[in-house]
């Protein structure tokens, strides 16, 4: 059998299905009851008890003081960066290996993405590589950290926790403090992931979560800004709700703002989903063990697993091809998908996309290498029999 055939057979053995998606939502809790309550009471739009409850529940789950729910993760990251002080012309450090929304949010703020390399042990931003890069290209001018090559201020660092695997945040926070650059975490994929006992998204000034339909917890579409900064949370709420001043009937808005509100219907779905988060994560961790067992004797491949000291949500199961069989990636993708097992490559590197090809970047050899070797496997929690 070829490697593609072997991988397909082993994946089918784990999923037990002839047709399986990459990641499907699971609605086996109180979703219908909560959404029906919204419809029955008429509270379906951007104000309602489930919006408030979802924010409280998210704050409790992540261990922060405040959560502000928004329409999607991209809008949440845009506002978070704006509140971190990103202005037009500033540069923002982001990983080259990330979903396009990370870069798009920077541009929506008027900033320019500045790309850095990846760490093989986390699939996220490489702190050692970033340390060397900042030391080589930056200088202090008028109290700011400036890229001497472009003359632009470096206004923020945005790590992204790839597929739910935490970046080395303690080291990154220490590095960012040395260069006096705020950190905003793109935790879109890492709800439930932790470093020790601390949740991702809580290390920097603020973090962003996503609840898109393919995430571990979904509201259909939605996101959240999480933070311990009460002033920032208040400002985030104001900016994402059209900057309307509270009043029983008057419509007074005190600045240009955004309609990034999450409807009560979506928040109701999120509350029901969040009640099942621990079960979803347990199922995904069990799925990891099943894949590991099924693939352990397959030469040329390895299943990516969490770093010591971290607890990943394993949002997407990740197969890494050895370098000497990397040229077979597309063959594996074609064979598995033809067999009904939906697999996907990692995103195209942001540095290769036409709108970002001219942005500042360090050399990214690790990201380039991983991009040709990563395959995401079917990862739905319900693939583990009996998941609730």
């Amino acid at each position: 059998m070829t490697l593609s055939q072997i991988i397909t057979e082993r994946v089918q053995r784990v999923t037990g299905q002839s047709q399986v998606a990459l990641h499907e939502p699971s609605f086996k809790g109180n979703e219908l009851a909560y959404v029906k309550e919204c419809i029955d009471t008429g509270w379906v739009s951007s104000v309602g008890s489930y919006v408030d409850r979802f924010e409280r529940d998210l704050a409790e789950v992540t261990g922060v003081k405040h959560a502000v729910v928004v329409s999607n993760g991209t809008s949440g990251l845009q506002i978070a960066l704006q509140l971190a002080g990103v202005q037009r012309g500033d540069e923002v450090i982001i990983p080259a290996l990330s979903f396009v929304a990370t870069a798009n949010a920077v541009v929506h703020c008027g900033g320019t993405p500045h790309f850095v390399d990846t760490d093989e042990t986390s699939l996220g931003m490489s702190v050692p590589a970033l340390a060397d890069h900042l030391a080589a290209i930056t200088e202090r001018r008028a109290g700011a950290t400036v890229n001497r090559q472009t003359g632009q201020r470096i206004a923020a660092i945005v790590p992204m926790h790839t597929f739910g695997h935490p970046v080395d945040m303690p080291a990154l926070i220490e590095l960012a403090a040395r260069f006096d650059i705020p950190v905003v975490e793109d935790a879109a994929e890492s709800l439930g992931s932790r470093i020790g006992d601390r949740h991702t998204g809580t290390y920097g000034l603020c973090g962003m979560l996503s609840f898109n339909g393919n995430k571990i917890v979904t509201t259909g579409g939605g996101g959240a800004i999480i933070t311990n900064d009460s002033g920032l949370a208040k400002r985030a709420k104001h900016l994402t709700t059209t900057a309307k001043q509270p009043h029983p009937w008057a419509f007074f808005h005190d600045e240009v703002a955004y309609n990034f509100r999450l409807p009560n219907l979506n928040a109701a779905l999120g509350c029901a989903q969040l009640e099942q988060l621990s079960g979803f994560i347990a199922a995904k961790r069990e799925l990891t063990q099943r894949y590991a067992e099924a693939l352990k004797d397959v030469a040329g491949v390895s299943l990516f697993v969490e770093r010591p000291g971290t607890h990943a949500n394993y949002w997407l199961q990740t197969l890494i091809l050895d370098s000497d069989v990397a040229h077979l990636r597309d063959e594996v993708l074609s064979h598995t998908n033809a067999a009904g097992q939906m697999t996907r490559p990692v995103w195209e590197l942001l540095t290769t996309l036409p709108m970002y090809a001219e942005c500042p970047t360090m050399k990214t050899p690790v990201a380039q290498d991983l991009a040709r070797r990563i395959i995401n496997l079917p990862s739905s929690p319900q693939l583990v029999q009996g998941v609730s």
Side-chain angles (χ1 to χ4, degrees):
M1 294 177 69
T2 66
L3 180 63
S4 297
Q5 291 171 326
I6 293 171
I7 291 174
T8 301
E9 187 274 330
R10 300 302 173 87
V11 170
Q12 286 179 315
R13 182 189 302 178
V14 171
T15 67
Q17 301 177 25
S18 59
Q19 296 289 327
V20 59
L22 183 68
H23 194 286
E24 293 181 301
S26 176
F27 301 122
K28 297 182 179 179
N30 290 314
E31 290 90 352
L32 185 60
Y34 292 171
V35 171
K36 184 177 185 299
E37 181 183 339
C38 293
I39 295 172
D40 289 345
T41 60
W43 290 97
V44 299
S45 194
S46 55
V47 176
S49 62
Y50 281 109
V51 172
D52 298 334
R53 174 181 165 183
F54 193 35
E55 290 181 335
R56 291 194 304 267
D57 290 351
L58 283 170
E60 182 177 355
V61 165
T62 57
V64 295
K65 293 180 180 177
H66 308 282
V68 177
V69 293
V70 292
S71 54
N72 54 64
T74 307
S75 62
L77 185 54
Q78 175 187 337
I79 295 299
L81 288 169
Q82 184 173 330
L83 294 176
V86 175
Q87 301 177 14
R88 187 163 301 280
D90 287 341
E91 293 179 10
V92 176
I93 301 289
I94 68 172
L97 184 69
S98 185
F99 183 56
V100 70
T102 310
N104 288 347
V106 173
V107 176
H108 293 328
C109 289
T112 299
H114 183 139
F115 300 110
V116 297
D117 205 8
T118 301
D119 173 45
E120 285 186 297
T121 68
S122 71
L123 303 182
M125 182 178 287
S126 170
V127 179
L130 176 58
D132 291 343
H133 185 58
L134 290 176
I137 68 154
T138 64
E139 61 185 38
R140 296 290 290 176
R141 295 183 195 169
T145 299
V146 173
N147 180 350
R148 70 166 66 93
Q149 297 174 344
T150 63
Q152 302 302 310
R153 181 174 76 112
I154 298 179
I157 299 172
V158 182
M160 196 278 284
H161 304 291
T162 310
F163 309 139
H165 292 280
V167 172
D168 186 355
M169 289 308 301
L172 180 59
I173 291 297
E174 189 276 332
L175 173 64
R178 290 203 330 252
F179 285 87
D180 194 25
I181 306 173
V183 173
V184 173
E185 291 179 68
D186 183 343
E189 302 173 1
S190 63
L191 179 63
S193 297
R194 299 178 182 275
I195 303 170
D197 293 329
R198 188 166 177 177
H199 199 286
T200 54
T202 67
Y203 283 83
L205 182 65
C206 55
M208 175 276 288
L209 302 169
S210 172
F211 310 116
N212 190 35
N214 63 351
K215 295 301 190 293
I216 190 165
V217 159
T218 184
T219 58
I225 300 166
I226 57 175
T227 183
N228 286 308
D229 187 316
S230 298
L232 187 148
K234 183 178 180 180
R235 185 95 177 100
K237 192 70 170 178
H238 190 59
L239 283 176
T240 57
T241 57
T242 72
K244 182 182 182 296
Q245 290 290 333
H247 192 279
W249 62 81
F251 288 90
F252 184 80
H253 307 259
D254 60 6
E255 61 182 309
V256 177
Y258 309 90
N259 183 5
F260 288 164
R261 297 173 292 186
L262 184 72
N264 201 46
L265 274 172
N266 300 77
L269 191 65
C271 288
Q273 286 273 285
L274 206 56
E275 291 171 347
Q276 304 165 79
L277 176 61
S278 61
F280 291 158
I281 294 175
K284 283 175 168 292
R285 293 179 68 83
E286 171 63 24
L287 185 61
T288 301
Q289 295 301 314
R290 296 187 185 187
Y291 275 128
E293 179 65 23
L295 295 163
K296 67 180 181 181
D297 62 346
V298 179
V301 305
S302 58
L303 193 70
F304 190 81
V305 296
E306 63 195 6
R307 291 184 298 114
T310 68
H311 186 274
N313 68 7
Y314 285 98
W315 171 55
L316 289 183
Q317 307 292 330
T318 304
L319 189 68
I320 310 288
L321 301 179
D322 289 355
S323 294
D324 59 350
V325 295
H327 64 284
L328 297 176
R329 187 199 68 172
D330 287 357
E331 180 183 312
V332 173
L333 290 167
S334 295
H335 202 278
T336 49
N337 279 279
Q341 306 297 308
M342 185 179 288
T343 58
R344 289 291 184 268
V346 74
W347 320 281
E348 295 291 329
L349 290 186
L350 295 176
T351 51
T352 69
L353 300 181
M355 60 283 198
Y356 297 127
E358 301 303 318
C359 290
T361 181
M362 68 178 293
K363 293 181 179 180
T364 58
V366 177
Q368 292 176 49
D369 180 53
L370 286 170
R372 68 190 183 97
R373 298 196 288 129
I374 288 175
I375 295 175
N376 291 130
L377 305 176
S379 302
S380 303
Q382 53 268 44
L383 291 174
V384 174
Q385 186 176 7
V387 65
S388 60

